[in-house]
Amino acid sequence: LAEAERRQSVSPPAIAAIRLLTLTGCRVSEILNLRWQDVDFEGHCLRLPDSKTGAKTVYLNGPALQVLSAIERREGNPYVLPGKVAGRPIESLKNPWGRIRMQAGLEGVRIHDLRHSYASFGVGLGLPLQQVGKLLGHTQIATTERYAHLADDPIRKANERIGDHIAAIMSGAPKAEVVAIGNRGRPRDTVRKAR
C-alpha cells in the first residue's frame, strides 16, 4: 500500500478503503458504503445501520481511527470514500486491488481474503473464537469456527518453549541459560548455544 501511495498508482480513497478493510475485518460493501454519519470517533466505532447480518457495531482500533481521521471530506458527499461521481462512493475496488496485488506479488489473493486475514490474526494471537466472531459481526459461532485450527498455534508454541526448556536442562546447560530460555521470545537460539 505504501508503494502504491508513493507511486500514486491507486487513488487515495481506494488506498484508505483497503487499509480499513485490513484493519477492521469489514466486508467490502460495508466500507465502500460507509457514510460519515456512521463513524463515531468518540465511541471508537462504526455504527452500521445495515450489513449482511443487520445493524452492526464495528469497533475501531487506533490505526483504523488514524486512517479515518486522515480522509478528506468532500462537500456534498456523505460517503467516507468518495467516488468519481459527485455524491457517490467508490463503486469498486477491483482495479485498485488488482494493481496493489500485482505490485505486492499477491497473485490469487482476493480482497475478501483481507477479512479472513483479520480473523486469522485474532485467533493466532490467542483471542477466543467468540470474540473474533463478535468483531466480524458473525451471529453464529459456527461461522467463526472455520478459524478454530489457528487457535492451536499458541498451544504449539507453548509446547515448543516447554520442550526447549526441558531439553536445555537435560543437556546440562548452565542454570543462567536455562532461566534465559524460559524468559525469552526466541528459546531455540539459547538451546542451540547450550548444547
PDB file of all heavy atoms in Angstrom, residues 160-182 187-195:
ATOM      1  N   GLU A 160       6.552 -25.959  22.317  1.00  0.00           N
ATOM      2  CA  GLU A 160       7.954 -25.840  21.885  1.00  0.00           C
ATOM      3  C   GLU A 160       8.805 -25.192  22.973  1.00  0.00           C
ATOM      4  O   GLU A 160       9.918 -25.630  23.241  1.00  0.00           O
ATOM      5  CB  GLU A 160       8.054 -25.025  20.588  1.00  0.00           C
ATOM      6  CG  GLU A 160       7.621 -25.773  19.348  1.00  0.00           C
ATOM      7  CD  GLU A 160       8.511 -26.972  19.048  1.00  0.00           C
ATOM      8  OE1 GLU A 160       9.746 -26.898  19.228  1.00  0.00           O
ATOM      9  OE2 GLU A 160       7.948 -28.009  18.648  1.00  0.00           O
ATOM     10  N   ARG A 161       8.290 -24.130  23.594  1.00  0.00           N
ATOM     11  CA  ARG A 161       9.049 -23.455  24.661  1.00  0.00           C
ATOM     12  C   ARG A 161       9.313 -24.406  25.819  1.00  0.00           C
ATOM     13  O   ARG A 161      10.412 -24.448  26.360  1.00  0.00           O
ATOM     14  CB  ARG A 161       8.298 -22.219  25.155  1.00  0.00           C
ATOM     15  CG  ARG A 161       8.330 -21.074  24.139  1.00  0.00           C
ATOM     16  CD  ARG A 161       7.730 -19.825  24.695  1.00  0.00           C
ATOM     17  NE  ARG A 161       8.638 -19.260  25.692  1.00  0.00           N
ATOM     18  CZ  ARG A 161       8.350 -18.209  26.434  1.00  0.00           C
ATOM     19  NH1 ARG A 161       7.193 -17.617  26.314  1.00  0.00           N
ATOM     20  NH2 ARG A 161       9.230 -17.749  27.303  1.00  0.00           N
ATOM     21  N   ILE A 162       8.302 -25.165  26.213  1.00  0.00           N
ATOM     22  CA  ILE A 162       8.473 -26.117  27.311  1.00  0.00           C
ATOM     23  C   ILE A 162       9.501 -27.177  26.931  1.00  0.00           C
ATOM     24  O   ILE A 162      10.413 -27.487  27.705  1.00  0.00           O
ATOM     25  CB  ILE A 162       7.123 -26.771  27.686  1.00  0.00           C
ATOM     26  CG1 ILE A 162       6.201 -25.723  28.320  1.00  0.00           C
ATOM     27  CG2 ILE A 162       7.335 -27.965  28.629  1.00  0.00           C
ATOM     28  CD1 ILE A 162       4.753 -26.180  28.455  1.00  0.00           C
ATOM     29  N   GLY A 163       9.354 -27.721  25.731  1.00  0.00           N
ATOM     30  CA  GLY A 163      10.295 -28.749  25.269  1.00  0.00           C
ATOM     31  C   GLY A 163      11.722 -28.232  25.213  1.00  0.00           C
ATOM     32  O   GLY A 163      12.671 -28.927  25.621  1.00  0.00           O
ATOM     33  N   ASP A 164      11.912 -27.024  24.703  1.00  0.00           N
ATOM     34  CA  ASP A 164      13.253 -26.437  24.628  1.00  0.00           C
ATOM     35  C   ASP A 164      13.835 -26.227  26.020  1.00  0.00           C
ATOM     36  O   ASP A 164      15.025 -26.450  26.254  1.00  0.00           O
ATOM     37  CB  ASP A 164      13.211 -25.102  23.869  1.00  0.00           C
ATOM     38  CG  ASP A 164      13.019 -25.293  22.370  1.00  0.00           C
ATOM     39  OD1 ASP A 164      13.207 -26.422  21.877  1.00  0.00           O
ATOM     40  OD2 ASP A 164      12.685 -24.302  21.698  1.00  0.00           O
ATOM     41  N   HIS A 165      13.000 -25.796  26.940  1.00  0.00           N
ATOM     42  CA  HIS A 165      13.442 -25.556  28.315  1.00  0.00           C
ATOM     43  C   HIS A 165      13.898 -26.870  28.964  1.00  0.00           C
ATOM     44  O   HIS A 165      14.983 -26.945  29.550  1.00  0.00           O
ATOM     45  CB  HIS A 165      12.289 -24.926  29.113  1.00  0.00           C
ATOM     46  CG  HIS A 165      12.685 -24.416  30.461  1.00  0.00           C
ATOM     47  ND1 HIS A 165      13.317 -23.216  30.630  1.00  0.00           N
ATOM     48  CD2 HIS A 165      12.556 -24.960  31.696  1.00  0.00           C
ATOM     49  CE1 HIS A 165      13.554 -23.021  31.922  1.00  0.00           C
ATOM     50  NE2 HIS A 165      13.101 -24.078  32.599  1.00  0.00           N
ATOM     51  N   ILE A 166      13.079 -27.890  28.824  1.00  0.00           N
ATOM     52  CA  ILE A 166      13.418 -29.193  29.400  1.00  0.00           C
ATOM     53  C   ILE A 166      14.668 -29.765  28.731  1.00  0.00           C
ATOM     54  O   ILE A 166      15.559 -30.301  29.403  1.00  0.00           O
ATOM     55  CB  ILE A 166      12.228 -30.164  29.289  1.00  0.00           C
ATOM     56  CG1 ILE A 166      11.091 -29.680  30.200  1.00  0.00           C
ATOM     57  CG2 ILE A 166      12.636 -31.600  29.639  1.00  0.00           C
ATOM     58  CD1 ILE A 166       9.769 -30.396  29.985  1.00  0.00           C
ATOM     59  N   ALA A 167      14.772 -29.644  27.417  1.00  0.00           N
ATOM     60  CA  ALA A 167      15.941 -30.157  26.698  1.00  0.00           C
ATOM     61  C   ALA A 167      17.214 -29.457  27.164  1.00  0.00           C
ATOM     62  O   ALA A 167      18.271 -30.092  27.277  1.00  0.00           O
ATOM     63  CB  ALA A 167      15.760 -29.965  25.186  1.00  0.00           C
ATOM     64  N   ALA A 168      17.128 -28.155  27.435  1.00  0.00           N
ATOM     65  CA  ALA A 168      18.300 -27.423  27.911  1.00  0.00           C
ATOM     66  C   ALA A 168      18.737 -27.943  29.276  1.00  0.00           C
ATOM     67  O   ALA A 168      19.933 -28.118  29.532  1.00  0.00           O
ATOM     68  CB  ALA A 168      18.005 -25.926  27.981  1.00  0.00           C
ATOM     69  N   ILE A 169      17.777 -28.200  30.138  1.00  0.00           N
ATOM     70  CA  ILE A 169      18.106 -28.740  31.466  1.00  0.00           C
ATOM     71  C   ILE A 169      18.753 -30.109  31.314  1.00  0.00           C
ATOM     72  O   ILE A 169      19.783 -30.413  31.927  1.00  0.00           O
ATOM     73  CB  ILE A 169      16.843 -28.823  32.347  1.00  0.00           C
ATOM     74  CG1 ILE A 169      16.347 -27.414  32.693  1.00  0.00           C
ATOM     75  CG2 ILE A 169      17.116 -29.631  33.623  1.00  0.00           C
ATOM     76  CD1 ILE A 169      14.966 -27.389  33.328  1.00  0.00           C
ATOM     77  N   MET A 170      18.164 -30.946  30.461  1.00  0.00           N
ATOM     78  CA  MET A 170      18.669 -32.307  30.283  1.00  0.00           C
ATOM     79  C   MET A 170      20.059 -32.334  29.643  1.00  0.00           C
ATOM     80  O   MET A 170      20.831 -33.261  29.852  1.00  0.00           O
ATOM     81  CB  MET A 170      17.684 -33.124  29.438  1.00  0.00           C
ATOM     82  CG  MET A 170      16.406 -33.426  30.200  1.00  0.00           C
ATOM     83  SD  MET A 170      15.064 -34.184  29.242  1.00  0.00           S
ATOM     84  CE  MET A 170      15.857 -35.450  28.320  1.00  0.00           C
ATOM     85  N   SER A 171      20.366 -31.303  28.860  1.00  0.00           N
ATOM     86  CA  SER A 171      21.674 -31.270  28.196  1.00  0.00           C
ATOM     87  C   SER A 171      22.763 -30.726  29.105  1.00  0.00           C
ATOM     88  O   SER A 171      23.920 -30.647  28.715  1.00  0.00           O
ATOM     89  CB  SER A 171      21.601 -30.438  26.922  1.00  0.00           C
ATOM     90  OG  SER A 171      21.471 -29.063  27.238  1.00  0.00           O
ATOM     91  N   GLY A 172      22.360 -30.296  30.317  1.00  0.00           N
ATOM     92  CA  GLY A 172      23.349 -29.781  31.256  1.00  0.00           C
ATOM     93  C   GLY A 172      23.718 -28.340  31.012  1.00  0.00           C
ATOM     94  O   GLY A 172      24.792 -27.892  31.409  1.00  0.00           O
ATOM     95  N   ALA A 173      22.853 -27.582  30.379  1.00  0.00           N
ATOM     96  CA  ALA A 173      23.118 -26.160  30.136  1.00  0.00           C
ATOM     97  C   ALA A 173      23.284 -25.442  31.468  1.00  0.00           C
ATOM     98  O   ALA A 173      22.644 -25.797  32.450  1.00  0.00           O
ATOM     99  CB  ALA A 173      21.965 -25.538  29.355  1.00  0.00           C
ATOM    100  N   PRO A 174      24.166 -24.442  31.509  1.00  0.00           N
ATOM    101  CA  PRO A 174      24.312 -23.658  32.748  1.00  0.00           C
ATOM    102  C   PRO A 174      22.964 -23.081  33.169  1.00  0.00           C
ATOM    103  O   PRO A 174      22.128 -22.744  32.340  1.00  0.00           O
ATOM    104  CB  PRO A 174      25.285 -22.540  32.354  1.00  0.00           C
ATOM    105  CG  PRO A 174      25.994 -23.048  31.151  1.00  0.00           C
ATOM    106  CD  PRO A 174      25.037 -23.976  30.450  1.00  0.00           C
ATOM    107  N   LYS A 175      22.770 -22.956  34.485  1.00  0.00           N
ATOM    108  CA  LYS A 175      21.497 -22.508  35.045  1.00  0.00           C
ATOM    109  C   LYS A 175      21.053 -21.165  34.465  1.00  0.00           C
ATOM    110  O   LYS A 175      19.885 -20.977  34.160  1.00  0.00           O
ATOM    111  CB  LYS A 175      21.600 -22.414  36.571  1.00  0.00           C
ATOM    112  CG  LYS A 175      20.283 -22.092  37.231  1.00  0.00           C
ATOM    113  CD  LYS A 175      20.381 -22.112  38.732  1.00  0.00           C
ATOM    114  CE  LYS A 175      19.032 -21.768  39.327  1.00  0.00           C
ATOM    115  NZ  LYS A 175      19.043 -21.780  40.757  1.00  0.00           N
ATOM    116  N   ALA A 176      21.969 -20.237  34.268  1.00  0.00           N
ATOM    117  CA  ALA A 176      21.620 -18.912  33.738  1.00  0.00           C
ATOM    118  C   ALA A 176      20.996 -19.030  32.355  1.00  0.00           C
ATOM    119  O   ALA A 176      20.045 -18.335  32.036  1.00  0.00           O
ATOM    120  CB  ALA A 176      22.856 -18.017  33.682  1.00  0.00           C
ATOM    121  N   GLU A 177      21.521 -19.932  31.529  1.00  0.00           N
ATOM    122  CA  GLU A 177      20.958 -20.097  30.184  1.00  0.00           C
ATOM    123  C   GLU A 177      19.597 -20.768  30.232  1.00  0.00           C
ATOM    124  O   GLU A 177      18.724 -20.466  29.443  1.00  0.00           O
ATOM    125  CB  GLU A 177      21.920 -20.888  29.295  1.00  0.00           C
ATOM    126  CG  GLU A 177      23.131 -20.071  28.904  1.00  0.00           C
ATOM    127  CD  GLU A 177      23.965 -20.751  27.834  1.00  0.00           C
ATOM    128  OE1 GLU A 177      23.470 -21.662  27.162  1.00  0.00           O
ATOM    129  OE2 GLU A 177      25.119 -20.339  27.682  1.00  0.00           O
ATOM    130  N   VAL A 178      19.395 -21.684  31.155  1.00  0.00           N
ATOM    131  CA  VAL A 178      18.099 -22.349  31.282  1.00  0.00           C
ATOM    132  C   VAL A 178      17.039 -21.330  31.693  1.00  0.00           C
ATOM    133  O   VAL A 178      15.942 -21.298  31.141  1.00  0.00           O
ATOM    134  CB  VAL A 178      18.172 -23.520  32.300  1.00  0.00           C
ATOM    135  CG1 VAL A 178      16.775 -24.056  32.577  1.00  0.00           C
ATOM    136  CG2 VAL A 178      19.070 -24.623  31.769  1.00  0.00           C
ATOM    137  N   VAL A 179      17.362 -20.449  32.614  1.00  0.00           N
ATOM    138  CA  VAL A 179      16.425 -19.397  33.032  1.00  0.00           C
ATOM    139  C   VAL A 179      16.143 -18.473  31.855  1.00  0.00           C
ATOM    140  O   VAL A 179      15.002 -18.089  31.615  1.00  0.00           O
ATOM    141  CB  VAL A 179      16.986 -18.607  34.240  1.00  0.00           C
ATOM    142  CG1 VAL A 179      16.129 -17.379  34.516  1.00  0.00           C
ATOM    143  CG2 VAL A 179      17.044 -19.505  35.464  1.00  0.00           C
ATOM    144  N   ALA A 180      17.190 -18.143  31.091  1.00  0.00           N
ATOM    145  CA  ALA A 180      17.001 -17.260  29.937  1.00  0.00           C
ATOM    146  C   ALA A 180      16.053 -17.879  28.923  1.00  0.00           C
ATOM    147  O   ALA A 180      15.243 -17.192  28.322  1.00  0.00           O
ATOM    148  CB  ALA A 180      18.342 -16.951  29.280  1.00  0.00           C
ATOM    149  N   ILE A 181      16.119 -19.193  28.753  1.00  0.00           N
ATOM    150  CA  ILE A 181      15.237 -19.854  27.801  1.00  0.00           C
ATOM    151  C   ILE A 181      13.781 -19.641  28.213  1.00  0.00           C
ATOM    152  O   ILE A 181      12.931 -19.366  27.398  1.00  0.00           O
ATOM    153  CB  ILE A 181      15.550 -21.368  27.730  1.00  0.00           C
ATOM    154  CG1 ILE A 181      16.896 -21.566  27.047  1.00  0.00           C
ATOM    155  CG2 ILE A 181      14.461 -22.114  26.963  1.00  0.00           C
ATOM    156  CD1 ILE A 181      17.424 -22.961  27.152  1.00  0.00           C
ATOM    157  N   GLY A 182      13.501 -19.732  29.484  1.00  0.00           N
ATOM    158  CA  GLY A 182      12.133 -19.564  29.965  1.00  0.00           C
ATOM    159  C   GLY A 182      11.620 -18.147  29.842  1.00  0.00           C
ATOM    160  O   GLY A 182      10.429 -17.924  29.811  1.00  0.00           O
ATOM    161  N   PRO A 187      13.537 -19.037  22.294  1.00  0.00           N
ATOM    162  CA  PRO A 187      14.260 -20.005  23.111  1.00  0.00           C
ATOM    163  C   PRO A 187      15.210 -20.897  22.320  1.00  0.00           C
ATOM    164  O   PRO A 187      16.219 -21.315  22.842  1.00  0.00           O
ATOM    165  CB  PRO A 187      13.151 -20.837  23.745  1.00  0.00           C
ATOM    166  CG  PRO A 187      11.979 -20.663  22.865  1.00  0.00           C
ATOM    167  CD  PRO A 187      12.111 -19.290  22.273  1.00  0.00           C
ATOM    168  N   ARG A 188      14.948 -21.172  21.067  1.00  0.00           N
ATOM    169  CA  ARG A 188      15.757 -22.129  20.318  1.00  0.00           C
ATOM    170  C   ARG A 188      17.214 -21.677  20.171  1.00  0.00           C
ATOM    171  O   ARG A 188      18.120 -22.479  20.200  1.00  0.00           O
ATOM    172  CB  ARG A 188      15.148 -22.384  18.947  1.00  0.00           C
ATOM    173  CG  ARG A 188      13.853 -23.138  19.048  1.00  0.00           C
ATOM    174  CD  ARG A 188      13.222 -23.303  17.674  1.00  0.00           C
ATOM    175  NE  ARG A 188      12.090 -24.169  17.819  1.00  0.00           N
ATOM    176  CZ  ARG A 188      12.093 -25.462  17.541  1.00  0.00           C
ATOM    177  NH1 ARG A 188      13.153 -26.046  17.083  1.00  0.00           N
ATOM    178  NH2 ARG A 188      10.996 -26.178  17.697  1.00  0.00           N
ATOM    179  N   ASP A 189      17.447 -20.377  20.000  1.00  0.00           N
ATOM    180  CA  ASP A 189      18.829 -19.874  19.861  1.00  0.00           C
ATOM    181  C   ASP A 189      19.650 -20.226  21.092  1.00  0.00           C
ATOM    182  O   ASP A 189      20.787 -20.654  20.993  1.00  0.00           O
ATOM    183  CB  ASP A 189      18.842 -18.359  19.649  1.00  0.00           C
ATOM    184  CG  ASP A 189      18.150 -17.969  18.351  1.00  0.00           C
ATOM    185  OD1 ASP A 189      17.991 -18.837  17.483  1.00  0.00           O
ATOM    186  OD2 ASP A 189      17.791 -16.801  18.242  1.00  0.00           O
ATOM    187  N   THR A 190      19.065 -20.016  22.270  1.00  0.00           N
ATOM    188  CA  THR A 190      19.779 -20.291  23.510  1.00  0.00           C
ATOM    189  C   THR A 190      20.008 -21.785  23.671  1.00  0.00           C
ATOM    190  O   THR A 190      21.067 -22.207  24.119  1.00  0.00           O
ATOM    191  CB  THR A 190      18.978 -19.744  24.709  1.00  0.00           C
ATOM    192  OG1 THR A 190      18.680 -18.379  24.451  1.00  0.00           O
ATOM    193  CG2 THR A 190      19.771 -19.834  25.990  1.00  0.00           C
ATOM    194  N   VAL A 191      19.038 -22.605  23.292  1.00  0.00           N
ATOM    195  CA  VAL A 191      19.184 -24.052  23.411  1.00  0.00           C
ATOM    196  C   VAL A 191      20.326 -24.539  22.533  1.00  0.00           C
ATOM    197  O   VAL A 191      21.156 -25.330  22.942  1.00  0.00           O
ATOM    198  CB  VAL A 191      17.872 -24.781  23.062  1.00  0.00           C
ATOM    199  CG1 VAL A 191      18.091 -26.271  22.996  1.00  0.00           C
ATOM    200  CG2 VAL A 191      16.811 -24.452  24.090  1.00  0.00           C
ATOM    201  N   ARG A 192      20.409 -24.018  21.320  1.00  0.00           N
ATOM    202  CA  ARG A 192      21.492 -24.440  20.430  1.00  0.00           C
ATOM    203  C   ARG A 192      22.857 -24.088  21.008  1.00  0.00           C
ATOM    204  O   ARG A 192      23.786 -24.853  20.934  1.00  0.00           O
ATOM    205  CB  ARG A 192      21.320 -23.776  19.056  1.00  0.00           C
ATOM    206  CG  ARG A 192      20.217 -24.402  18.257  1.00  0.00           C
ATOM    207  CD  ARG A 192      20.243 -23.945  16.804  1.00  0.00           C
ATOM    208  NE  ARG A 192      19.007 -24.314  16.187  1.00  0.00           N
ATOM    209  CZ  ARG A 192      18.031 -23.470  15.900  1.00  0.00           C
ATOM    210  NH1 ARG A 192      18.165 -22.193  16.137  1.00  0.00           N
ATOM    211  NH2 ARG A 192      16.926 -23.896  15.348  1.00  0.00           N
ATOM    212  N   LYS A 193      22.970 -22.898  21.603  1.00  0.00           N
ATOM    213  CA  LYS A 193      24.240 -22.490  22.200  1.00  0.00           C
ATOM    214  C   LYS A 193      24.565 -23.369  23.398  1.00  0.00           C
ATOM    215  O   LYS A 193      25.715 -23.647  23.673  1.00  0.00           O
ATOM    216  CB  LYS A 193      24.161 -21.024  22.664  1.00  0.00           C
ATOM    217  CG  LYS A 193      24.131 -20.048  21.517  1.00  0.00           C
ATOM    218  CD  LYS A 193      23.961 -18.635  22.037  1.00  0.00           C
ATOM    219  CE  LYS A 193      23.637 -17.697  20.897  1.00  0.00           C
ATOM    220  NZ  LYS A 193      23.173 -16.415  21.357  1.00  0.00           N
ATOM    221  N   ALA A 194      23.532 -23.816  24.120  1.00  0.00           N
ATOM    222  CA  ALA A 194      23.754 -24.596  25.327  1.00  0.00           C
ATOM    223  C   ALA A 194      24.223 -26.015  25.018  1.00  0.00           C
ATOM    224  O   ALA A 194      24.871 -26.643  25.817  1.00  0.00           O
ATOM    225  CB  ALA A 194      22.482 -24.652  26.160  1.00  0.00           C
ATOM    226  N   ARG A 195      23.898 -26.531  23.882  1.00  0.00           N
ATOM    227  CA  ARG A 195      24.208 -27.935  23.555  1.00  0.00           C
ATOM    228  C   ARG A 195      25.622 -28.128  23.142  1.00  0.00           C
ATOM    229  O   ARG A 195      26.406 -27.629  22.629  1.00  0.00           O
ATOM    230  CB  ARG A 195      23.278 -28.420  22.451  1.00  0.00           C
ATOM    231  CG  ARG A 195      21.877 -28.573  22.985  1.00  0.00           C
ATOM    232  CD  ARG A 195      20.992 -29.177  21.948  1.00  0.00           C
ATOM    233  NE  ARG A 195      19.656 -29.264  22.541  1.00  0.00           N
ATOM    234  CZ  ARG A 195      18.568 -29.235  21.862  1.00  0.00           C
ATOM    235  NH1 ARG A 195      18.579 -29.136  20.574  1.00  0.00           N
ATOM    236  NH2 ARG A 195      17.402 -29.320  22.458  1.00  0.00           N
TER     237      ARG A 195
END
